Amino acid sequence: MSFKLTFVVLGAAASIAPSLARAGASLYVDDASVTPRGHCQVESWVRGYAPGNEFAGVPACNIRGTEFGLGVNTFSHLARGPIVNLGVKRAFRDADTQRWGIAASIGASWNNAHGQFNGWNANMPVSIALDGDHHTLVHANLGWSKPRHARGRLTRGIGVEQRLDAHWTLLGEAYADHATIAQIGLRRAIGDNASLDLLGGRQSGATPSSWLTLGFNIVLAN
């Protein structure tokens, strides 16, 4: 069985017990791009914070123009997970080749530790290039999140990517749903198809916390 077919089978099985999909891997604000058509990618990260750590991997494939993602988040604090994430995303205007792009995504989550559906979310990311070479990108998100045992709430965020040179990009973002989250960090390109992210973040609100994230992203060739 090919990798793509295996992925579709896994995605169909996970849809019985879906989970809240994340946006943008180790970033909370998503962009309007999708995995290149006919390709797959893997986004992964380790996040260290008190009182524990988070480990996540999200493989995704673009099948006929639609990106399907199936990820797992595990925690050193076992009562929180593992959580299975299923997401679907479609770009309506290509942000990689145009000065601006727009996409839509929907996701759901399943908490395996508690054996229950966590909730679902929908999001519309817009990406705008402030220059013709795409050295400066702004991403804006507007969406809706519906946890299992809580009222639905509006989600919104804004992120910036500033390319510093051929290898380094500065990242910054602010995101809000039930709390406000801010992150800043750097991305290091590794060849044409992989990158490393190092981010520092903080959540304000009723339960403030801080963390450090190391992420690795790779696009897989056909």
Side-chain angles (χ1 to χ4, degrees), residues 61-148:
C61 288
N62 185 323
I63 302 173
R64 297 185 178 181
T66 299
E67 181 183 286
F68 297 87
L70 175 65
V72 177
N73 296 60
T74 62
F75 303 86
S76 56
H77 192 311
L78 295 180
R80 292 193 58 194
I83 296 174
V84 180
N85 303 302
L86 178 67
V88 179
K89 183 180 178 183
R90 180 88 179 188
F92 300 105
R93 181 180 170 90
D94 187 5
D96 294 326
T97 59
Q98 308 289 329
R99 288 291 294 269
W100 66 274
I102 186 169
S105 64
I106 187 168
S109 68
W110 175 262
N111 189 319
N112 198 54
H114 298 156
Q116 66 181 22
F117 173 67
N118 262 6
W120 62 272
N121 73 336
N123 188 42
M124 180 171 289
V126 175
S127 295
I128 302 172
L130 300 186
D131 60 280
D133 294 326
H134 285 63
H135 285 168
T136 306
L137 299 174
V138 177
H139 311 296
N141 286 190
L142 186 64
W144 186 260
S145 176
K146 178 60 177 72
R148 175 182 173 88

Side-chain angles (χ1 to χ4, degrees), residues 5-218:
L5 182 56
T6 302
F7 184 83
V8 172
V9 172
L10 288 173
S15 66
I16 300 172
S19 75
L20 199 59
R22 292 185 53 87
S26 53
L27 295 168
Y28 286 83
V29 176
D30 201 3
D31 59 29
S33 300
V34 295
T35 307
R37 192 180 183 97
H39 288 68
C40 297
Q41 69 175 10
V42 178
E43 296 175 325
S44 59
W45 63 91
V46 178
R47 177 171 289 120
Y49 62 96
N53 301 305
E54 175 190 0
F55 308 89
V58 185
C61 288
N62 185 323
I63 302 173
R64 297 185 178 181
T66 299
E67 181 183 286
F68 297 87
L70 175 65
V72 177
N73 296 60
T74 62
F75 303 86
S76 56
H77 192 311
L78 295 180
R80 292 193 58 194
I83 296 174
V84 180
N85 303 302
L86 178 67
V88 179
K89 183 180 178 183
R90 180 88 179 188
F92 300 105
R93 181 180 170 90
D94 187 5
D96 294 326
T97 59
Q98 308 289 329
R99 288 291 294 269
W100 66 274
I102 186 169
S105 64
I106 187 168
S109 68
W110 175 262
N111 189 319
N112 198 54
H114 298 156
Q116 66 181 22
F117 173 67
N118 262 6
W120 62 272
N121 73 336
N123 188 42
M124 180 171 289
V126 175
S127 295
I128 302 172
L130 300 186
D131 60 280
D133 294 326
H134 285 63
H135 285 168
T136 306
L137 299 174
V138 177
H139 311 296
N141 286 190
L142 186 64
W144 186 260
S145 176
K146 178 60 177 72
R148 175 182 173 88
H149 294 301
R151 296 180 62 181
R153 54 186 177 239
L154 188 70
T155 61
R156 60 272 189 206
I158 188 164
V160 177
E161 296 182 37
Q162 176 62 57
R163 190 185 306 172
L164 303 178
D165 58 29
H167 302 291
W168 292 97
T169 300
L170 178 67
L171 306 172
E173 65 175 0
Y175 179 85
D177 53 10
H178 66 288
T180 300
I181 293 169
Q183 289 196 122
I184 189 168
L186 290 168
R187 172 169 293 161
R188 166 73 181 188
I190 305 172
D192 295 329
N193 297 319
S195 63
L196 280 172
D197 294 346
L198 181 62
L199 298 160
R202 179 166 178 79
Q203 173 178 297
S204 60
T207 56
S209 62
S210 300
W211 59 81
L212 188 66
T213 300
L214 177 64
F216 176 68
N217 316 302
I218 185 169

